[in-house]
Amino acid sequence: MKVIKCDNYDAVSQKASEIVIDQIKKKPNTVLGLATGSTPLKLYSNLVSAYEKKEISFKHILSYNLDEYIGIDRNHSQSYYQYMHQHLFSLVDMNEENIHIPNNDVTRIDEIAELYNKDLNKHQIDLQILGIGSNGHIGFNEPGTPLGNETFIVELDEQTRKDNKRFFKSLNEVPKYAITMGIKNIMRSKKIILMASGIEKADAIYQMINGRVTDELPASVLQLHPDVVVIVDQLAGSKL
Ligand code: GLP
């Protein structure tokens, strides 16, 4: 793993956007793996700026999102479908048919993971963007998830629900389940950027890099991937 320490969140976002912009310039039909959460917000706004300056186009980009909540509608303000459209897709020239976000339709619960997985496996992600949970999750691969999993439905960890409560009115409203790419899907990506900011990520970042590879800290599996760039700010990297 290559580790880049930056002064602050803006510098983390700047570094990550340079890598993504470079990738899109080199390969306009890049397959991007996309993450949600607070961490990539500035990265996405930098990408929108680069698009507005005509440095890059998303016209031929194919995107696969890591995960989606189950139990809230796609139209809910906190669905990842809304998040992606609000912060990136509706602001650039992305083709709607090239956008892939796991379907969270509960009436089709038996098939949605398999269908997303099938679609995902038709391609190889060129560049996967990741954040990390304070418990070391990536996507929604919570501690204890088998490292060989492909897209599946997961019961969210209490810690994750508490961490994400800030986006909802109460803990009760935070969904209990999600659909997520599995570790195996993430590991198939050609290149991975993991971004982290803030002191609450410091332990997870330390364990991910220096701990043993264990399903108790799912991000630790990235030690086995040949091309991972970890970009942290001073606080997230303070235990390294
Ligand atoms: C979320 C997402 C992850 C994200 C992580 C950290 O729940 N499922 O993809 O990386 O938790 O989120 P944040 O960036 O808001 O700290």
Side-chain angles (χ1 to χ4, degrees):
M1 280 189 211
K2 181 177 169 192
V3 182
I4 302 175
K5 279 197 190 182
C6 299
D7 281 348
N8 51 38
Y9 172 67
D10 280 358
V12 169
S13 310
Q14 176 62 29
K15 187 74 221 162
S17 40
E18 282 166 17
I19 298 173
V20 178
I21 289 168
D22 236 45
Q23 167 69 36
I24 295 177
K25 280 183 178 165
K26 271 191 209 132
K27 189 181 175 202
N29 62 344
T30 286
V31 184
L32 282 181
L34 297 176
T36 50
S38 306
T39 310
L41 281 174
K42 185 83 174 54
L43 160 66
Y44 293 147
S45 92
N46 290 347
L47 294 180
V48 171
S49 300
Y51 162 73
E52 285 169 348
K53 288 187 213 143
K54 302 199 187 325
E55 280 177 44
I56 49 169
S57 164
F58 288 79
K59 215 172 176 159
H60 303 293
I61 297 288
L62 211 59
S63 74
Y64 283 88
N65 263 79
L66 280 167
D67 47 18
E68 176 61 288
Y69 286 121
I70 288 180
I72 57 173
D73 194 77
R74 273 196 155 184
N75 297 321
H76 189 286
S77 64
Q78 294 307 324
S79 78
Y80 289 160
Y81 181 89
Q82 290 298 327
Y83 171 110
M84 288 310 305
H85 282 79
Q86 183 185 342
H87 298 294
L88 184 65
F89 297 150
S90 68
L91 307 174
V92 297
D93 59 345
M94 190 81 192
N95 248 323
E96 192 65 34
E97 74 238 27
N98 289 346
I99 295 171
H100 302 84
I101 298 174
N103 187 333
N104 65 355
D105 181 355
V106 281
T107 66
R108 299 172 62 201
I109 204 80
D110 293 341
E111 56 174 3
I112 51 178
E114 199 186 326
L115 288 175
Y116 193 70
N117 204 57
K118 239 187 187 166
D119 202 6
L120 183 59
N121 280 334
K122 285 185 199 149
H123 303 276
Q124 184 177 19
I125 289 174
D126 292 299
L127 180 58
Q128 173 68 56
I129 293 156
L130 293 178
I132 185 168
S134 63
N135 62 2
H137 76 229
I138 46 178
F140 269 135
N141 288 271
E142 298 285 26
T145 302
L147 301 180
N149 266 18
E150 295 191 86
T151 312
F152 68 108
I153 289 169
V154 59
E155 182 171 1
L156 297 177
D157 205 72
E158 265 321 286
Q159 185 58 49
T160 300
R161 293 186 65 241
K162 281 182 193 149
D163 287 349
N164 289 357
K165 177 176 158 276
R166 65 190 194 280
F167 299 112
F168 294 84
K169 285 194 200 111
S170 66
L171 184 60
N172 228 2
E173 282 194 20
V174 183
K176 294 192 168 71
Y177 293 89
I179 172 169
T180 182
M181 279 188 205
I183 295 286
K184 192 170 169 189
N185 302 112
I186 294 170
M187 291 295 277
R188 266 188 76 229
S189 313
K190 284 190 198 153
K191 183 181 183 77
I192 297 174
I193 305 178
L194 185 142
M195 305 162 72
S197 160
I199 194 69
E200 58 287 354
K201 304 293 172 69
D203 279 326
I205 289 292
Y206 176 82
Q207 290 300 333
M208 172 183 83
I209 294 170
N210 297 307
R212 64 190 174 89
V213 175
T214 166
D215 63 9
E216 283 313 309
L217 194 110
S220 63
V221 76
L222 298 175
Q223 291 176 24
L224 307 177
H225 190 283
D227 191 358
V228 177
V229 182
V230 179
I231 312 174
V232 291
D233 68 3
Q234 290 205 6
L235 291 173
S238 57
K239 303 212 164 152
L240 295 175

